[in-house]
Structure formats: C-alpha cells, structure tokens
Amino acid sequence: MKFINYAMATALACLAVMTSAHAETLPSNAIEAVNVAQQGNEIALRIDLKEALASPPPGFSVANPAKIALDFQSTANGLGKNSQVFNQGDLRSMNVVQVGDRTRVVLNLVRNMNYKTRLDGKALYGTLSPIERLTESAAQRTTRFAEESLVGTKHAVNDVIFRRGKDGEGRV
C-alpha cells in the first residue's frame, strides 16, 4: 500500500511539474483577426491582437520569392487557420506559422515592397508600398555643374549613372 501511495505521489508531482512548465511556455497573446485593404498604390494591413504589444514585431523581407515576415513573440495563432488568400494589389496571400510561443506571419507578394508598421492599442497597422524605381529617362539625363571653359577637358566628368544590381545594391 505504501508503494502505491508513493508511486501515486510521485506521478502527481511529475504531472504538476510538467503542467507548470507547460504553462510557462503558453503564449500570453494571440492574433485574432487580419484585415487588408488597397488604398491607391499602397496596401493597408491591420492585425488585431488579444493584448497590446510593447513594441512592433521584428520583421524581414525576402526578394525571391517576394515575401515579408513578421515575428510575434509570446503570441499564438488565434485565427483558426494557417493561411488566407487576399489578392489585393501586390499582396497575394498570408501564411501564419506558430512554433512554441512564437508566431510568424508571412505575407506572400507579387513583387518586392517596402513596409512600415505601427502600433495603436491592440492593433498592429502595416503599410505596404511599391519600391520607387529610377526611370530610364532620369538615369540617362546629364546635369552640368560648370561650364566646359571653367573645367579642363582632360579631367572632366562627362556622365554618372546610378543603377540597381541584381541583389538590390547600388551601382555607379
């Protein structure tokens, strides 16, 4: 009888430890809704959360295929689904992946876009805007800073063209 009581007490103690350890890893926040609307050439994004965030989530973008990812710490996926199709401008769809107490929201884009985020209460607002490109006519234009008679032709700069490389780097 003592062995059964000891075994039961040990099992209950292990269960209590596992339950408390599991409770520590449960996310304290949740993503409850995601809304998207096109506004001119920009896309407005609103992510509603259960609790307000202390700071905007860190994020990064991927060039090929074009994506933007936002990482929410101590946040669960409360949407009830892992993907959603939008087809709003250059925003095609969204994937939501939860691992432990972290949730990553991935925005799948048609092309690379700039993004800005801001917090307002329990909502995270995001704006996706096109990346401004230098037009070919502007790149071909030459600007003169001094008359040719003032600058010797031996050491004169005739033309400077700025372009983007295949990885987005600036090239002269």
Side-chain angles (χ1 to χ4, degrees):
M1 195 67 159
K2 279 186 171 182
F3 177 72
I4 294 173
N5 288 341
Y6 177 74
M8 186 166 298
T10 304
L12 287 173
C14 288
L15 182 61
V17 169
M18 289 182 353
T19 304
S20 66
H22 181 66
E24 291 174 8
T25 61
L26 287 178
S28 60
N29 206 349
I31 297 172
E32 296 181 330
V34 178
N35 297 300
V36 172
Q38 177 128 17
Q39 297 177 339
N41 64 347
E42 295 184 338
I43 299 166
L45 175 76
R46 177 182 168 149
I47 300 175
D48 293 321
L49 298 138
K50 180 179 170 185
E51 300 293 329
L53 296 173
S55 62
F60 62 92
S61 61
V62 177
N64 192 10
K67 297 177 184 295
I68 295 173
L70 301 171
D71 287 331
F72 293 83
Q73 297 294 329
S74 298
T75 303
N77 176 7
L79 296 172
K81 53 188 168 185
N82 292 328
S83 65
Q84 187 171 348
V85 176
F86 294 116
N87 289 326
Q88 292 281 329
D90 288 326
L91 176 60
R92 289 293 166 231
S93 63
M94 170 188 75
N95 296 71
V96 182
V97 180
Q98 180 181 345
V99 176
D101 71 337
R102 185 182 77 158
T103 298
R104 177 172 283 174
V105 174
V106 179
L107 305 172
N108 301 304
L109 308 170
V110 172
R111 61 184 171 139
N112 292 332
M113 299 187 82
N114 290 322
Y115 73 96
K116 290 186 286 187
T117 59
R118 69 176 173 83
L119 294 173
D120 187 6
K122 295 181 182 180
L124 173 75
Y125 289 92
T127 305
L128 307 177
S129 57
I131 296 174
E132 297 296 324
R133 302 265 186 222
L134 194 61
T135 62
E136 288 299 319
S137 62
Q140 299 294 334
R141 206 175 314 145
T142 303
T143 303
R144 295 187 185 269
F145 294 101
E147 292 298 319
E148 194 171 312
S149 62
L150 298 176
V151 179
T153 56
K154 185 175 181 183
H155 300 289
V157 175
N158 293 328
D159 197 14
V160 177
I161 298 175
F162 296 93
R163 296 200 177 157
R164 290 275 178 204
K166 66 177 182 170
D167 296 324
E169 74 274 8
R171 301 184 81 185
V172 179

